[in-house]
Amino acid sequence: RNIDLWSCPLEWLKTQVLTMTNMPKDRIVVVHSGVELSRFSHLPDKSKARQLLDLLSELPIIGLIGRFDPHKGQLLLIEALKLLQSTSVQLCLLGEPTREEGNDYEIQMYDSISRLGLADRVHIRPFREDIETFYSAMDIIVMATKAETVGMVTIEALASGKPVIATNTGGSPEILKFGQFGRLVKPSDPEELSLEIEAVMSGQCTFNPNELVQRAADFDHNSVCERVEQLLKLKTA
Protein backbone atom coordinates (compact mmCIF):
# COMPACT_ATOMS: atom_id res chain seq x y z
CA ARG A 1 0.00 0.00 0.00
CA ASN A 2 2.98 2.31 0.47
CA ILE A 3 4.12 1.92 -3.14
CA ASP A 4 2.97 4.70 -5.45
CA LEU A 5 4.20 3.21 -8.73
CA TRP A 6 5.62 -0.10 -9.85
CA SER A 7 7.76 0.45 -12.93
CA CYS A 8 8.33 -2.37 -15.45
CA PRO A 9 10.69 -2.06 -18.43
CA LEU A 10 8.48 -4.17 -20.74
CA GLU A 11 4.82 -5.12 -21.09
CA TRP A 12 5.50 -8.82 -20.44
CA LEU A 13 6.96 -7.91 -17.04
CA LYS A 14 3.93 -5.77 -16.28
CA THR A 15 1.79 -8.82 -16.99
CA GLN A 16 3.87 -10.84 -14.54
CA VAL A 17 3.36 -8.23 -11.82
CA LEU A 18 -0.39 -8.27 -12.44
CA THR A 19 -0.42 -12.06 -12.28
CA MET A 20 1.85 -12.62 -9.29
CA THR A 21 1.08 -9.67 -7.00
CA ASN A 22 -1.90 -7.77 -5.63
CA MET A 23 -0.63 -4.46 -6.97
CA PRO A 24 -3.51 -2.40 -8.47
CA LYS A 25 -3.34 -2.14 -12.23
CA ASP A 26 -3.46 1.67 -12.20
CA ARG A 27 -0.24 1.79 -10.20
CA ILE A 28 1.77 -0.39 -12.59
CA VAL A 29 3.49 1.45 -15.44
CA VAL A 30 5.83 0.53 -18.27
CA VAL A 31 9.01 2.60 -18.46
CA HIS A 32 11.55 1.25 -20.92
CA SER A 33 15.18 0.79 -20.02
CA GLY A 34 16.98 3.69 -21.66
CA VAL A 35 19.88 3.48 -24.10
CA GLU A 36 22.13 6.37 -25.11
CA LEU A 37 21.31 6.03 -28.79
CA SER A 38 23.58 8.86 -29.90
CA ARG A 39 26.52 6.47 -29.40
CA PHE A 40 25.27 4.40 -32.31
CA SER A 41 24.21 7.16 -34.70
CA HIS A 42 27.70 7.55 -36.20
CA LEU A 43 29.30 4.13 -36.25
CA PRO A 44 32.90 3.80 -37.39
CA ASP A 45 33.51 2.46 -40.88
CA LYS A 46 33.09 -1.33 -40.98
CA SER A 47 36.55 -1.93 -42.43
CA LYS A 48 38.17 0.25 -39.77
CA ALA A 49 36.12 -1.45 -37.05
CA ARG A 50 37.31 -4.85 -38.20
CA GLN A 51 40.90 -3.66 -38.16
CA LEU A 52 40.47 -2.46 -34.58
CA LEU A 53 39.13 -5.90 -33.63
CA ASP A 54 41.86 -7.65 -35.63
CA LEU A 55 39.28 -9.14 -37.96
CA LEU A 56 40.97 -8.58 -41.28
CA SER A 57 38.34 -10.30 -43.34
CA GLU A 58 35.77 -9.47 -46.00
CA LEU A 59 33.82 -12.57 -45.02
CA PRO A 60 30.43 -12.36 -43.25
CA ILE A 61 30.75 -12.21 -39.47
CA ILE A 62 28.21 -13.11 -36.78
CA GLY A 63 28.64 -11.40 -33.43
CA LEU A 64 27.70 -12.17 -29.85
CA ILE A 65 28.58 -9.81 -27.01
CA GLY A 66 28.27 -10.74 -23.36
CA ARG A 67 30.03 -12.27 -20.40
CA PHE A 68 31.28 -15.82 -20.92
CA ASP A 69 28.55 -17.69 -19.11
CA PRO A 70 26.32 -20.71 -19.90
CA HIS A 71 23.29 -18.43 -19.75
CA LYS A 72 24.60 -16.32 -22.64
CA GLY A 73 24.78 -19.23 -25.09
CA GLN A 74 28.23 -18.93 -26.64
CA LEU A 75 28.53 -22.73 -26.86
CA LEU A 76 25.15 -22.91 -28.58
CA LEU A 77 26.24 -20.42 -31.22
CA ILE A 78 29.52 -22.26 -31.78
CA GLU A 79 27.52 -25.45 -32.42
CA ALA A 80 25.21 -23.58 -34.80
CA LEU A 81 28.22 -22.23 -36.72
CA LYS A 82 29.43 -25.78 -37.33
CA LEU A 83 26.01 -26.68 -38.78
CA LEU A 84 26.00 -23.87 -41.35
CA GLN A 85 26.21 -24.98 -44.97
CA SER A 86 28.51 -22.06 -45.71
CA THR A 87 31.98 -22.58 -44.30
CA SER A 88 33.01 -18.97 -44.95
CA VAL A 89 30.92 -17.44 -42.17
CA GLN A 90 32.99 -16.20 -39.22
CA LEU A 91 32.02 -15.75 -35.58
CA CYS A 92 33.25 -13.10 -33.13
CA LEU A 93 32.61 -13.50 -29.40
CA LEU A 94 33.25 -10.36 -27.39
CA GLY A 95 33.36 -10.60 -23.61
CA GLU A 96 35.11 -12.02 -20.59
CA PRO A 97 34.35 -14.45 -17.73
CA THR A 98 32.23 -13.20 -14.86
CA ARG A 99 34.59 -11.76 -12.28
CA GLU A 100 35.53 -13.99 -9.36
CA GLU A 101 33.63 -16.94 -10.84
CA GLY A 102 36.51 -18.62 -12.63
CA ASN A 103 36.95 -19.34 -16.31
CA ASP A 104 35.58 -22.88 -16.60
CA TYR A 105 33.04 -21.86 -19.24
CA GLU A 106 35.65 -20.00 -21.28
CA ILE A 107 37.75 -23.18 -21.27
CA GLN A 108 34.71 -25.10 -22.52
CA MET A 109 34.35 -22.59 -25.34
CA TYR A 110 37.95 -23.10 -26.49
CA ASP A 111 37.58 -26.88 -26.18
CA SER A 112 34.43 -26.83 -28.30
CA ILE A 113 36.07 -24.63 -30.94
CA SER A 114 39.00 -27.04 -31.15
CA ARG A 115 36.85 -30.19 -31.16
CA LEU A 116 34.64 -28.88 -33.97
CA GLY A 117 37.58 -27.68 -36.04
CA LEU A 118 36.53 -24.02 -35.96
CA ALA A 119 39.76 -22.40 -34.78
CA ASP A 120 40.08 -20.44 -38.04
CA ARG A 121 36.46 -19.22 -37.93
CA VAL A 122 35.81 -18.27 -34.30
CA HIS A 123 37.47 -15.15 -32.94
CA ILE A 124 37.32 -14.39 -29.22
CA ARG A 125 37.99 -10.81 -28.22
CA PRO A 126 38.12 -9.14 -24.78
CA PHE A 127 35.34 -6.78 -23.84
CA ARG A 128 35.92 -3.15 -24.83
CA GLU A 129 34.18 0.07 -23.85
CA ASP A 130 33.71 1.28 -27.44
CA ILE A 131 31.06 -1.35 -28.18
CA GLU A 132 29.91 0.62 -31.21
CA THR A 133 33.09 -0.61 -32.90
CA PHE A 134 31.95 -4.19 -32.34
CA TYR A 135 28.47 -3.56 -33.77
CA SER A 136 29.91 -1.81 -36.82
CA ALA A 137 32.15 -4.78 -37.60
CA MET A 138 29.35 -7.37 -37.45
CA ASP A 139 26.84 -8.41 -40.10
CA ILE A 140 24.41 -10.16 -37.72
CA ILE A 141 24.02 -10.00 -33.95
CA VAL A 142 22.86 -13.14 -32.14
CA MET A 143 21.28 -13.23 -28.68
CA ALA A 144 21.56 -16.92 -27.81
CA THR A 145 20.57 -16.59 -24.16
CA LYS A 146 18.22 -19.10 -22.55
CA ALA A 147 16.14 -16.11 -21.42
CA GLU A 148 16.91 -12.40 -21.30
CA THR A 149 14.73 -10.20 -19.10
CA VAL A 150 15.58 -7.03 -21.04
CA GLY A 151 18.15 -7.54 -23.78
CA MET A 152 20.06 -4.27 -23.90
CA VAL A 153 22.34 -5.79 -26.53
CA THR A 154 19.29 -6.34 -28.73
CA ILE A 155 18.38 -2.65 -28.45
CA GLU A 156 21.96 -1.57 -29.15
CA ALA A 157 22.10 -3.84 -32.21
CA LEU A 158 18.86 -2.34 -33.54
CA ALA A 159 20.23 1.15 -32.92
CA SER A 160 23.24 0.12 -35.03
CA GLY A 161 20.94 -1.03 -37.85
CA LYS A 162 22.06 -4.65 -37.50
CA PRO A 163 19.71 -7.63 -37.95
CA VAL A 164 19.18 -9.59 -34.76
CA ILE A 165 18.48 -13.28 -34.18
CA ALA A 166 17.31 -13.92 -30.62
CA THR A 167 15.78 -16.70 -28.58
CA ASN A 168 12.00 -16.57 -28.34
CA THR A 169 11.96 -16.11 -24.57
CA GLY A 170 12.07 -13.32 -21.99
CA GLY A 171 11.94 -9.77 -23.27
CA SER A 172 13.50 -10.35 -26.70
CA PRO A 173 10.21 -11.13 -28.53
CA GLU A 174 8.66 -7.87 -27.31
CA ILE A 175 11.72 -5.79 -28.20
CA LEU A 176 11.75 -7.31 -31.70
CA LYS A 177 7.96 -6.85 -31.98
CA PHE A 178 7.51 -10.63 -32.21
CA GLY A 179 9.51 -11.01 -35.40
CA GLN A 180 8.83 -7.70 -37.13
CA PHE A 181 12.32 -6.38 -36.36
CA GLY A 182 14.31 -9.60 -36.00
CA ARG A 183 14.22 -13.38 -36.11
CA LEU A 184 13.21 -15.51 -33.14
CA VAL A 185 14.32 -19.08 -32.47
CA LYS A 186 13.70 -21.72 -29.84
CA PRO A 187 16.26 -21.60 -27.01
CA SER A 188 18.95 -24.30 -26.88
CA ASP A 189 18.31 -25.40 -30.48
CA PRO A 190 21.53 -25.06 -32.55
CA GLU A 191 19.92 -26.49 -35.68
CA GLU A 192 17.12 -23.93 -35.80
CA LEU A 193 19.59 -21.17 -35.00
CA SER A 194 21.82 -22.24 -37.89
CA LEU A 195 18.84 -22.22 -40.28
CA GLU A 196 17.90 -18.68 -39.26
CA ILE A 197 21.49 -17.52 -39.69
CA GLU A 198 21.50 -19.04 -43.19
CA ALA A 199 18.21 -17.29 -43.99
CA VAL A 200 19.51 -13.87 -42.97
CA MET A 201 22.94 -14.34 -44.53
CA SER A 202 21.46 -15.49 -47.84
CA GLY A 203 18.95 -12.64 -47.99
CA GLN A 204 15.91 -14.91 -47.71
CA CYS A 205 14.73 -12.59 -44.94
CA THR A 206 15.90 -9.00 -44.83
CA PHE A 207 15.47 -6.05 -42.50
CA ASN A 208 15.62 -2.37 -43.37
CA PRO A 209 18.41 -0.82 -41.24
CA ASN A 210 16.51 2.48 -40.97
CA GLU A 211 13.45 0.69 -39.62
CA LEU A 212 15.60 -1.14 -37.06
CA VAL A 213 17.08 2.17 -35.90
CA GLN A 214 13.58 3.64 -35.65
CA ARG A 215 12.46 0.75 -33.47
CA ALA A 216 15.41 1.38 -31.14
CA ALA A 217 14.26 4.99 -30.80
CA ASP A 218 11.49 3.75 -28.48
CA PHE A 219 14.24 3.12 -25.91
CA ASP A 220 16.02 6.47 -26.20
CA HIS A 221 17.26 7.45 -22.74
CA ASN A 222 16.12 11.06 -23.18
CA SER A 223 12.48 10.09 -23.72
CA VAL A 224 12.74 7.54 -20.90
CA CYS A 225 13.92 10.24 -18.48
CA GLU A 226 11.07 12.52 -19.59
CA ARG A 227 8.60 9.70 -18.94
CA VAL A 228 9.98 9.18 -15.42
CA GLU A 229 9.77 12.90 -14.67
CA GLN A 230 6.18 13.05 -15.90
CA LEU A 231 5.17 10.12 -13.68
CA LEU A 232 6.87 11.65 -10.65
CA LYS A 233 5.11 14.96 -11.22
CA LEU A 234 1.75 13.20 -11.44
CA LYS A 235 2.37 11.56 -8.09
CA THR A 236 3.58 14.71 -6.34
CA ALA A 237 0.93 17.03 -7.79
Side-chain angles (χ1 to χ4, degrees), residues 62-124:
I62 308 163
L64 187 156
I65 179 173
R67 69 183 186 276
F68 298 155
D69 183 280
H71 179 78
K72 294 297 183 181
Q74 286 92 350
L75 284 176
L76 175 71
L77 184 51
I78 291 169
E79 291 180 38
L81 182 73
K82 181 64 176 179
L83 295 173
L84 294 180
Q85 293 184 359
S86 172
T87 58
S88 64
V89 178
Q90 308 284 295
L91 170 60
C92 182
L93 303 172
L94 188 79
E96 57 190 16
T98 305
R99 292 181 181 178
E100 300 181 3
E101 291 189 11
N103 64 339
D104 289 350
Y105 187 73
E106 183 180 21
I107 292 172
Q108 290 181 50
M109 289 165 50
Y110 279 105
D111 287 346
S112 180
I113 292 167
S114 176
R115 175 174 54 82
L116 296 174
L118 297 173
D120 60 337
R121 296 175 59 192
V122 181
H123 313 280
I124 298 178

Side-chain angles (χ1 to χ4, degrees), residues 4 12 26 28 38-39 43 84 88-89 93 111-112 137 152 169 182 199 204 207 219 226 237:
D4 294 303
W12 82 280
D26 62 354
I28 307 172
S38 59
R39 293 184 62 183
L43 295 178
L84 294 180
S88 64
V89 178
L93 303 172
D111 287 346
S112 180
M152 301 301 284
T169 58
Q204 294 178 35
F207 297 94
F219 302 87
E226 290 176 4

